[in-house]
Amino acid sequence: YPTEDIIIFDKQSKYQHIQVYETERFGNILVLDGDIQFSSKDEYIYHEMMAHVPSVYIKKMSNVLIIGGGDGGCVRELLKHKSINKIYVIDIDIEVIDVCKRYFPKVANGLSDSRVQVITKDANEWVKLTENIEKFRSYFDLVIMDVTDFGSSDPLFKDDFYKNLKRFMSRNSVFVTNGAVVDCISIYRSIIGLVKQLRLFFKYCFIYSAPVPIFDCNYGFVICSDFVNPMNSYIDHQRFRRQGIKTKYYTDKIHTNSF
């Protein structure tokens, strides 16, 4: 873990304490409110699994909503899919976005793509606005929630937020959220609690995971849908390969074994 003598950026934004550490083992590391978010060395594992696992269940993924995700990692991976029409990124903190562009350019480079619109708003308030509900009702094929585990993200783990968010999802859409460590029993209980909460709003909810070295654990994600049951849904991996999508970690076997 990083120590104070290698810090290269340190600032308190309006919403959180932002730090970047430079390390020999993991490269640059982004830390928000004292919590490690990702490292430049192994971020591809997290972002590939968050973006591609839900994507392969969607026959034509055109419009995507990302809650959080201002670092651009999920955007970078989703833009590899040729069917993408528009990606909306709603992140509350413009300073995190700017820091990632500066210190993690290989992660954030997709944010400048013409198909990407970055909205620096509070997502909890954005999903309540009548104008957004009318414009984007049943619009998104995929919704990704890539947020911090606490702090400014706390309102995004409430029932009202999920209830409002569902109005933006098409009937066959998929929702995925970052969860928690799944190989530590005390934290595993917390991700089980998240699944139970999400099952109030989605017919199918399942945990999948990936080993992320910077977290020193198997990190868990939760995938949900009213239409897609990942336990018995067909995945056309040939279609994935035909798009020429290059990944460093994600494969069809990794996909299956992650559940």
Side-chain angles (χ1 to χ4, degrees):
Y1 288 91
T3 55
E4 289 294 336
D5 61 336
I6 50 174
I7 192 166
I8 57 175
F9 182 88
D10 191 336
K11 183 179 180 180
Q12 177 69 44
S13 76
K14 180 180 178 181
Y15 302 101
Q16 54 208 331
H17 186 196
I18 307 168
Q19 296 171 301
V20 178
Y21 294 85
E22 186 181 67
T23 71
E24 182 177 351
R25 183 179 179 187
F26 288 104
N28 286 355
I29 298 174
L30 177 66
V31 178
L32 299 179
D33 287 337
D35 188 45
I36 291 177
Q37 302 303 301
F38 64 85
S39 79
S40 57
K41 178 76 171 181
D42 60 14
E43 55 79 19
Y44 65 91
I45 301 174
Y46 175 95
H47 290 123
E48 286 182 11
M49 292 298 285
M50 193 153 209
H52 299 307
V53 169
S55 297
V56 295
Y57 293 109
I58 304 169
K59 290 184 177 179
K60 187 178 180 182
M61 181 175 61
S62 181
N63 300 305
V64 178
L65 175 65
I66 300 177
I67 306 296
D71 55 76
C74 286
V75 168
R76 179 196 64 202
E77 296 303 316
L78 289 167
L79 288 173
K80 296 176 181 179
H81 293 261
K82 295 179 180 179
S83 62
I84 286 291
N85 172 56
K86 196 75 176 180
I87 300 174
Y88 290 85
V89 179
I90 305 178
D91 196 299
I92 197 171
D93 200 339
I94 184 63
E95 295 201 52
V96 170
I97 297 170
D98 291 341
V99 164
C100 289
K101 287 179 178 179
R102 178 179 176 184
Y103 293 101
F104 304 91
K106 292 182 179 180
V107 180
N109 57 11
L111 294 173
S112 59
D113 191 280
S114 61
R115 293 166 291 176
V116 178
Q117 181 172 342
V118 178
I119 302 169
T120 51
K121 300 288 185 182
D122 181 345
N124 188 48
E125 297 302 321
W126 190 89
V127 298
K128 296 176 184 178
L129 294 177
T130 301
E131 62 212 66
N132 293 330
I133 296 170
E134 292 177 350
K135 181 178 180 179
F136 296 109
R137 186 183 295 274
S138 302
Y139 182 77
F140 295 103
D141 308 299
L142 172 63
V143 175
I144 292 178
M145 196 159 94
D146 182 13
V147 298
T148 56
D149 296 331
F150 54 86
S152 60
S153 298
D154 284 346
L156 306 182
F157 296 100
K158 305 296 184 183
D159 287 356
D160 284 347
F161 177 74
Y162 297 124
K163 182 178 179 181
N164 290 326
L165 188 63
K166 281 208 70 178
R167 292 184 288 191
F168 295 82
M169 300 175 65
S170 66
R171 186 178 71 88
N172 300 337
S173 66
V174 177
F175 170 80
V176 66
T177 180
N178 54 322
V181 178
V182 296
D183 53 4
C184 172
I185 190 62
S186 61
I187 307 179
Y188 182 73
R189 291 193 182 108
S190 71
I191 198 171
I192 288 296
L194 177 60
V195 170
K196 289 180 178 179
Q197 180 186 20
L198 289 168
R199 281 180 177 163
L200 298 174
F201 304 96
F202 297 95
K203 184 176 180 180
Y204 305 109
C205 292
F206 290 93
I207 297 169
Y208 67 96
S209 65
V212 182
I214 190 64
F215 298 144
D216 194 27
C217 70
N218 277 323
Y219 190 86
F221 310 85
V222 184
I223 183 172
C224 305
S225 180
D226 290 331
F227 179 76
V228 173
N229 179 353
M231 295 299 100
N232 61 18
S233 294
Y234 172 72
I235 303 173
D236 187 354
H237 285 292
Q238 291 298 326
R239 180 170 60 89
F240 184 86
R241 296 189 188 98
R242 284 195 299 270
Q243 294 184 78
I245 296 174
K246 294 182 179 180
T247 56
K248 297 172 68 176
Y249 178 78
Y250 177 84
T251 66
D252 52 351
K253 290 183 179 180
I254 288 289
H255 181 114
T256 301
N257 292 328
S258 69
F259 284 87

